[in-house]
């Protein structure tokens, strides 16, 4: 089945220690998104890639970076995680902007 | 500016009762409308979508939603709720015409009591 895969499902990192979260898709979609979701809140868009074009949301901290080396993979790098970065990180894809998005299961990040 | 409003933060229904979750949007053009469901600790799953045509759309798990342009609403309904429907529900609006814009509502948490 075509799907969005996120690894790992759970990640524990130390305060200030860089961490990378991974997302892959078999849907061959053009657009890939990264969201941050904190408890009982809606997902908050961090950035997205339309093909190779990177689009950063205005309020996304510089601490968050992303890479998309090819159509299938996208990475979220948190350069110096703070306690406030503990959250669920969701990856999503869509065939084009504005269309339905398909989500992975998420990575739960804990910062100690 | 585009926005999505889900007026009900939390709803409790009895198993077997009917359900309606409200969603209102503010958008300049005809939007694409979506409902997602999220179980605890999971990603979001698409329940249904509306692009155009018939204003009553059927989705998975027995859900349906009706687009009412005059009320700028896209309410989600289910005639008989099951305990497994307890989850967080998000309404979302998107439009390719505005360049990858996609907005989520704040969500409605559904509790189902036996």
């Amino acid at each position: 089945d075509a799907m969005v895969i996120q690894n790992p499902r759970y990640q524990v990192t130390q305060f200030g220690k860089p961490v990378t979260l991974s997302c892959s898709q078999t849907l061959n979609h053009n657009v890939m998104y990264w969201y941050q979701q904190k408890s009982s809140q809606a997902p908050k868009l961090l950035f997205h890639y339309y093909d190779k074009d990177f689009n950063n949301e205005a309020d996304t901290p510089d601490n968050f970076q992303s890479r998309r080396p090819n159509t299938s993979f996208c990475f979220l790098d948190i350069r110096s995680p703070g306690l406030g970065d503990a959250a669920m990180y969701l990856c999503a894809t869509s065939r084009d902007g504005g269309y339905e998005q398909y989500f992975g299961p998420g990575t739960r990040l804990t910062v100690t | 500016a585009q926005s999505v409003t889900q007026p009900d933060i939390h709803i409790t229904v009895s198993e077997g009762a009917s359900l309606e979750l409200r969603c209102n949007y503010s958008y300049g053009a005809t939007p694409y409308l979506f409902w997602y469901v999220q179980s605890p600790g999971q990603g979001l799953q698409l329940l249904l979508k509306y692009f155009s045509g018939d204003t009553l759309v059927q989705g998975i798990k027995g859900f349906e939603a009706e687009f009412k342009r005059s009320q700028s609403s896209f309410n989600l309904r289910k005639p008989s709720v099951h305990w497994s429907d307890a989850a967080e529900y998000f309404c979302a609006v998107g439009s390719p015409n505005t360049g990858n814009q996609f907005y989520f509502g704040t969500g409605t948490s559904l509790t189902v009591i036996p």
Side-chain angles (χ1 to χ4, degrees):
Chain A
D1 287 340
M3 56 198 310
V4 181
I5 301 163
Q6 291 187 245
N7 286 305
R9 293 292 311 278
Y10 301 91
Q11 176 73 58
V12 180
T13 190
Q14 293 177 337
F15 182 94
K17 184 174 182 181
V19 65
T20 295
L21 308 183
S22 168
C23 177
S24 64
Q25 56 134 339
T26 61
L27 296 160
N28 202 33
H29 281 170
N30 292 324
V31 193
M32 294 188 77
Y33 306 83
W34 279 105
Y35 288 89
Q36 179 192 66
Q37 186 180 30
K38 296 190 175 180
S39 182
S40 302
Q41 296 182 17
K44 178 181 182 298
L45 182 63
L46 295 173
F47 25 59
H48 72 274
Y49 273 95
Y50 194 110
D51 291 329
K52 293 185 178 181
D53 293 334
F54 178 71
N55 298 272
N56 198 32
E57 294 299 299
D59 57 353
T60 298
D62 293 339
N63 197 26
F64 291 84
Q65 303 288 319
S66 185
R67 297 169 283 135
R68 188 179 186 186
N70 54 53
T71 300
S72 300
F73 285 86
C74 196
F75 300 97
L76 169 62
D77 301 308
I78 308 177
R79 292 191 296 186
S80 181
L83 297 179
D85 297 328
M88 175 75 88
Y89 289 88
L90 296 166
C91 175
T93 74
S94 69
R95 61 184 170 102
D96 207 338
Y99 289 88
E100 67 270 27
Q101 297 183 14
Y102 294 90
F103 285 79
T107 295
R108 170 72 65 187
L109 178 67
T110 300
V111 182
T112 62
Chain B
Q2 298 90 336
S3 67
V4 182
T5 302
Q6 293 180 246
D8 303 305
I9 296 173
H10 186 251
I11 284 182
T12 300
V13 298
S14 298
E15 190 168 16
S18 63
L19 172 70
E20 182 169 27
L21 302 182
R22 296 184 290 166
C23 174
N24 294 98
Y25 65 90
S26 173
Y27 201 77
T30 300
Y32 290 6
L33 296 160
F34 312 91
W35 274 100
Y36 286 85
V37 61
Q38 185 179 32
S39 297
Q42 301 297 315
L44 279 70
Q45 181 182 21
L46 180 67
L47 284 176
L48 46 76
K49 61 187 179 184
Y50 172 79
F51 287 173
S52 64
D54 192 347
T55 56
L56 184 64
V57 294
Q58 302 297 320
I60 62 172
K61 304 186 179 189
F63 285 93
E64 66 178 26
E66 186 171 13
F67 171 59
K68 293 185 177 180
R69 184 189 303 274
S70 61
Q71 299 177 20
S72 297
S73 69
F74 189 58
N75 294 348
L76 182 71
R77 301 194 295 248
K78 186 169 185 178
S80 178
V81 171
H82 188 262
W83 64 267
S84 60
D85 293 324
E88 189 83 18
Y89 290 81
F90 293 98
C91 181
V93 170
S95 173
N97 298 323
T98 55
N100 298 336
Q101 297 299 310
F102 199 93
Y103 300 93
F104 281 100
T106 51
T108 297
S109 176
L110 175 65
T111 298
V112 180
I113 55 177

